[in-house]
């Protein structure tokens, strides 16, 4: 690859509504019945309500953490006029930008405001709830709270290698209150996050049916806890642990968790999760296309109501446009056999030549796809973690498997070229999934793929988002 990795700061062309009192926001579905948390059905309904809230604004292809939303635009992936490429995103004198920051911040903390009373209510009624209900509901709610807080600190927190140990960055909310929440230092915040993930891991390991049944088996022998890949299941928590520890800089723990997922097997010895490959694509029947590679989903969000044809990826405005075809080919080293290049994007020649993403084309209300799921954590991220942080032999073993699945030629890493090559794989692999901005930020990359030549280099000012004006 002749071109170096670059980063760009952009303005987002997204209309968002302004809101107030971000950390004291009343949950959209306020729980008023005192006995809601005293029954199995009650706590299960409360948990389902949280998933509905999350898929409405955050974890769906056009959502805050989606492939055409807030976090993806921070990575400057899309290059059409709708994203106002090249403008400065942190100009808070711009009302549109201010509203967008407010919208993202408020909606993410509103999920926390729903998770915390559910966690407390389940704990208070542990003695009257079925053991499996207690373990799964509390485990999933803790995982949700940790996942949202991780996304918040990755967006509004410091570059991980430039932490001010005395600065209080954000609140990690573990109790529901109308009073102002206390901001924590980075270390305090991350330790609370790991505590939530550790407890979620422990609880789900006791009762999650995904440990007993195949991950893609919707019918697990019971009438409850189906479609585990559309929930924050046990392996999803392990994936979040790997992601969080990598962000924290603990590479050894990140690799340990990534390997736990990669090496997980079913009772018959088959892999619990499998990288998507040409065989998977060839198995699609009429109308069953799933280019999100569902067998890789460690956890995700069922977005059955999302319509590719009406959203940013399939609309006539083509928000999901990635520059010119020749630039996109350069990203893939002109390897048109790469499964991601050949199957997840298409080139459109009018009114000018450009590349569009079709990764989510199987998501629409009447879809026959096996699952209408947006991934939150995928197996490929575990491979990338091992490729980046494992020993060189571990990295190359994982990379060789990865190359077979993605139909690319395997050439072993060396310690001299590993980091640069792995970063390119992150971009290719996680494009349109809302994750690449965090890879850029972790490595404090100065400029990134797709950046106009005349735009400014990026650093701490662009990576550390300012708090929304309303928060002051």
């Amino acid at each position: 690859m002749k071109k170096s990795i670059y980063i760009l700061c952009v303005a987002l062309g997204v209309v968002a509504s302004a809101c107030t009192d971000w950390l004291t926001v009343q949950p959209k579905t306020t729980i008023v019945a005192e006995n809601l948390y005293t029954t199995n059905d009650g706590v299960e309904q409360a948990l389902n309500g949280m998933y509905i809230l999350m898929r409405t604004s955050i974890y769906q292809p056009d959502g805050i953490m989606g492939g055409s939303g807030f976090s993806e635009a921070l990575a400057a992936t899309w290059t059409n006029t709708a994203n106002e490429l090249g403008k400065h995103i942190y100009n808070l004198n711009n009302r549109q930008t201010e509203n967008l920051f407010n919208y993202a911040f408020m909606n993410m903390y509103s999920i926390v405001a729903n998770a915390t009373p559910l966690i407390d209510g389940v704990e208070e009624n542990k003695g009257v709830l079925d053991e499996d209900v207690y373990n799964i509901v509390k485990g999933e709610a803790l995982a949700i709270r940790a996942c949202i807080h991780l996304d918040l600190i990755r967006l509004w927190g410091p570059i991980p290698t430039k932490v001010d140990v005395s600065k209080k960055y954000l609140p990690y909310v573990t109790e529901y209150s109308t009073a102002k929440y206390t901001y924590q230092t980075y270390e305090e915040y991350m330790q609370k996050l790991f505590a939530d993930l550790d407890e979620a891991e422990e609880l789900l390991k006791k009762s999650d049916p995904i440990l007993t049944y195949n991950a893609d088996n919707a019918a697990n022998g019971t009438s409850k806890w189906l479609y585990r890949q559309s929930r924050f299941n046990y392996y999803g928590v392990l994936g979040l642990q790997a992601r969080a520890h990598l962000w924290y800089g603990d590479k050894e723990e990140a690799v340990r968790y990534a390997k736990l997922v990669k090496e997980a097997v079913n009772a018959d010895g088959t892999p619990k999760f499998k990288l998507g490959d040409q065989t998977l694509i060839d198995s699609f029947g009429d109308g069953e296309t799933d280019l999100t590679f569902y067998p890789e989903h460690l956890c995700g969000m069922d977005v059955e109501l999302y319509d590719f044809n009406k959203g940013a990826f399939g609309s006539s405005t083509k928000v999901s446009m990635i520059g010119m075809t020749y630039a996109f080919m350069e990203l893939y080293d002109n390897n048109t056999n790469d499964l991601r290049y050949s199957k997840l994007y298409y080139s459109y020649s009018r009114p000018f030549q450009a590349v569009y993403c079709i990764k989510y084309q199987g998501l629409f209300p009447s879809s026959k796809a096996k699952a209408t799921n947006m991934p939150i954590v995928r197996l490929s991220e575990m491979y990338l973690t091992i490729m980046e942080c494992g020993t060189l032999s571990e990295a190359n073993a994982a990379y060789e498997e990865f190359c077979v699945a993605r139909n690319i030629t395997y050439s072993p890493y060396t310690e001299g070229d590993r980091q640069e090559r792995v970063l390119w794989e992150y971009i290719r692999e996680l494009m349109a999934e809302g994750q690449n901005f965090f890879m850029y930020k972790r490595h404090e990359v100065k400029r990134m793929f797709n950046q106009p030549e005349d735009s400014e280099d990026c650093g701490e000012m662009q990576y550390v988002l300012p708090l929304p004006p309303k928060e002051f």
Side-chain angles (χ1 to χ4, degrees), residues 35 68 102 110 191 258 305 403 441:
N35 65 349
S68 68
N102 291 337
S110 72
Q191 290 309 313
L305 300 180
C403 288
K441 182 171 179 176

Side-chain angles (χ1 to χ4, degrees), residues 91-391:
N91 176 14
L92 296 185
N93 292 321
N94 180 306
R95 185 60 180 269
Q96 188 177 50
T97 305
E98 178 183 332
N99 286 347
L100 180 61
F101 273 58
N102 291 337
Y103 176 81
F105 197 77
M106 182 279 291
N107 274 276
M108 295 175 80
Y109 268 111
S110 72
I111 301 299
V112 174
N114 281 271
T116 298
L118 174 57
I119 292 166
D120 293 343
V122 170
E123 183 59 37
E124 289 171 5
N125 294 284
K126 180 178 180 179
V128 299
L129 299 173
D130 289 351
E131 182 178 2
D132 284 348
V133 171
Y134 169 82
N135 290 337
I136 294 177
V137 172
K138 186 177 182 184
E140 287 189 30
L142 285 164
I144 290 169
R145 186 167 75 180
C147 183
I148 295 291
H149 276 109
L150 178 58
D151 287 340
L152 282 162
I153 198 68
R154 291 195 300 167
L155 287 167
W156 276 277
I159 296 170
T161 56
K162 292 189 173 180
V163 175
D164 181 341
V165 297
S166 63
K167 182 175 179 178
K168 296 183 182 297
Y169 287 98
L170 287 173
Y172 195 99
V173 181
T174 57
E175 42 181 64
Y176 183 68
S177 172
T178 56
K180 290 184 178 180
Y181 289 104
T182 302
Y183 277 54
Q184 278 102 34
T185 65
Y186 182 77
E187 185 64 24
E188 291 169 340
Y189 188 102
M190 292 302 295
Q191 290 309 313
K192 289 188 175 185
L193 190 154
F194 287 129
D196 275 355
L197 285 177
D198 289 345
E199 187 175 2
E201 178 184 344
E202 179 182 357
L203 290 168
L204 291 169
K205 190 174 184 178
K206 296 176 181 177
S207 298
D208 197 333
I210 200 171
L211 287 154
T212 305
Y213 298 92
N214 293 2
D216 64 347
N217 187 0
N220 61 26
T222 73
S223 60
K224 290 186 176 182
W225 319 120
L226 305 178
Y227 308 104
R228 297 303 294 158
Q229 287 169 275
S230 297
R231 312 280 288 205
F232 281 80
N233 63 75
Y234 172 72
Y235 291 105
V237 171
L238 298 188
L240 286 172
Q241 289 271 31
R243 178 182 287 176
H245 282 284
L246 183 59
W247 185 260
Y248 187 61
D250 189 344
K251 295 182 179 181
E252 185 175 337
E253 267 304 84
V255 169
R256 184 178 76 84
Y257 274 109
K259 289 168 67 177
L260 284 175
V261 174
K262 178 180 176 294
E263 297 168 2
V265 295
N266 296 307
D268 61 2
T270 57
K272 184 72 69 173
F273 303 94
K274 185 179 182 295
L275 287 174
D277 55 15
Q278 186 64 50
T279 302
L280 172 67
I281 292 176
D282 291 342
S283 71
F284 295 153
D286 181 35
E288 294 179 347
T289 304
D290 170 28
L291 296 177
T292 68
F293 293 161
Y294 182 65
E296 294 189 15
H297 295 200
L298 306 187
C299 64
M301 194 66 56
D302 185 356
V303 290
E304 60 182 353
L305 300 180
Y306 178 76
D307 193 338
F308 170 86
N309 298 305
K310 296 180 180 179
F313 287 96
S315 68
S316 59
T317 58
K318 297 296 182 189
V319 172
S320 53
M321 184 183 79
I322 311 173
M324 307 302 281
T325 302
Y326 70 85
F328 193 65
M329 289 184 68
E330 184 177 359
L331 170 64
Y332 283 91
D333 279 337
N334 297 311
N335 178 16
T336 57
N337 292 321
D338 188 312
L339 191 69
R340 296 161 297 184
Y341 177 92
S342 63
K343 299 299 181 182
L344 304 185
Y345 303 90
Y346 77 94
S347 181
Y348 183 70
S349 60
R350 292 188 300 244
F352 52 85
Q353 195 174 36
V355 176
Y356 300 110
C357 176
I358 57 173
K359 184 178 288 189
Y360 300 106
Q361 72 171 8
L363 303 183
F364 51 91
S366 60
S367 174
K368 296 179 182 179
K370 188 170 186 178
T372 51
N373 210 49
M374 175 189 150
I376 294 175
V377 187
R378 280 197 295 127
L379 176 63
S380 62
E381 187 179 337
M382 303 299 100
Y383 274 79
L384 291 165
T385 299
I386 296 169
M387 287 151 56
E388 178 184 351
C389 304
T391 65

